[in-house]
Amino acid sequence: MLDHEGVDIVFSHYHAVDLEEHRFIRYLYDKGQNIVPVEQIQQYMEDLYVQTDRYLGKFLHYLDENATIFIFSDHAQVCPRHNPPGIGDITGTNVELMKKLGYTVLKKDENGNELPEIDWTQTKAIAWGEQHIYLNLKSRYSYGIVEDADKYELEEQIMTDLYGYKHPETGKRVIAVALRNKDAVLLGQGGPEAGDICYWVTEGYNYDHADTLSTA
């Protein structure tokens, strides 16, 4: 395009670093789940950046033609030190920790086994995505069970329980910060699209990115 079509600017989205690290970065520390040694995972990481350097290297000769090359990244990824605590996963509704704390309830079959379906008649709040907890308000949802008058105190209790929860392997807290929506604006969150509570997982208990504070 640059050489033959007269194009002046090229935007190239090279996604390999993101996709590949999501697959193996969590195994850079062996938490008892590795099927290959950590040293082999480290080699995967080095090979990935060799591939990336080879790709970027194809553009470098344009510097001799007075071109400018910008390299951007949308985020970093970090290997968690411990197994994640069942909250803070980007992929959907996070049930595990909220169920332990008694705020999210699952339906059960005729034998008493839990089903992968939320029982909204008993669920006071859900954790969705990496940072958001939504109260099951009557005023917001047709299936809501929480009165608006109870919202403030329920938020307070959820935040207190989140801070009080200890990781079963370490005995340490797993939530770095939990804030009401109106307070989360101080950290770039909050607003009408965010949860009633915004939280950040403590460093070391994250999945791999964006679920903990940026300083991690």
Side-chain angles (χ1 to χ4, degrees), residues 29-67:
Y29 180 83
D30 191 350
K31 295 177 282 294
Q33 301 166 338
N34 283 27
I35 59 174
V36 298
V38 169
E39 291 76 17
Q40 190 168 336
I41 304 298
Q42 181 66 42
Q43 188 61 55
Y44 293 165
M45 183 70 77
E46 293 178 10
D47 291 346
L48 172 58
Y49 281 94
V50 169
Q51 294 171 15
T52 306
D53 284 347
R54 185 182 303 126
Y55 177 76
L56 291 172
K58 295 179 179 180
F59 294 89
L60 294 185
H61 69 91
Y62 291 109
L63 292 173
D64 296 329
E65 301 172 26
N66 295 318

Side-chain angles (χ1 to χ4, degrees), residues 124 135-139 144-148 150-151 154:
K124 294 181 178 180
L135 305 191
N136 190 18
L137 295 172
K138 286 184 176 180
S139 61
I145 65 171
V146 178
E147 299 285 354
D148 280 15
D150 299 327
K151 181 176 183 292
L154 180 56

Side-chain angles (χ1 to χ4, degrees), residues 6-201:
V7 171
D8 295 317
I9 300 175
V10 168
F11 297 89
S12 179
H13 181 183
Y14 185 76
H15 211 103
V17 176
D18 182 281
L19 292 175
E20 293 188 44
E21 286 190 21
H22 274 303
R23 296 293 296 169
F24 62 69
I25 197 169
R26 70 193 65 180
Y27 303 112
L28 277 174
Y29 180 83
D30 191 350
K31 295 177 282 294
Q33 301 166 338
N34 283 27
I35 59 174
V36 298
V38 169
E39 291 76 17
Q40 190 168 336
I41 304 298
Q42 181 66 42
Q43 188 61 55
Y44 293 165
M45 183 70 77
E46 293 178 10
D47 291 346
L48 172 58
Y49 281 94
V50 169
Q51 294 171 15
T52 306
D53 284 347
R54 185 182 303 126
Y55 177 76
L56 291 172
K58 295 179 179 180
F59 294 89
L60 294 185
H61 69 91
Y62 291 109
L63 292 173
D64 296 329
E65 301 172 26
N66 295 318
T68 301
I69 297 176
F70 295 93
I71 302 173
F72 297 93
S73 173
D74 61 339
H75 63 80
Q77 293 188 41
V78 179
C79 176
R81 174 66 171 77
H82 310 286
N83 288 316
I87 196 168
D89 187 353
I90 191 175
T91 56
T93 303
N94 290 238
V95 172
E96 184 179 345
L97 181 52
M98 292 295 282
K99 186 178 70 171
K100 287 180 181 178
L101 298 178
Y103 296 107
T104 299
V105 179
L106 297 181
K107 291 183 178 180
K108 296 182 179 180
D109 63 18
E110 62 276 8
N111 298 316
N113 300 310
E114 287 184 334
L115 300 170
E117 185 177 352
I118 291 174
D119 183 349
W120 295 107
T121 66
Q122 301 185 67
T123 291
K124 294 181 178 180
I126 63 165
W128 187 87
E130 291 169 320
Q131 296 177 309
H132 305 282
I133 292 174
Y134 295 88
L135 305 191
N136 190 18
L137 295 172
K138 286 184 176 180
S139 61
R140 180 188 295 154
Y141 307 116
S142 60
Y143 46 79
I145 65 171
V146 178
E147 299 285 354
D148 280 15
D150 299 327
K151 181 176 183 292
Y152 187 91
E153 286 302 323
L154 180 56
E155 289 173 349
E156 186 67 29
Q157 189 59 55
I158 291 173
M159 291 187 292
T160 298
D161 289 343
L162 287 174
Y163 281 128
Y165 180 78
K166 304 296 192 301
H167 194 278
E169 297 173 6
T170 67
K172 305 290 179 61
R173 66 189 175 96
V174 301
I175 300 297
V177 179
L179 297 170
R180 286 187 176 85
N181 184 297
K182 68 182 181 66
D183 300 321
V185 296
L186 298 170
L187 292 176
Q189 271 289 7
E193 302 301 323
D196 299 298
I197 296 170
C198 299
Y199 66 90
W200 288 260
V201 177

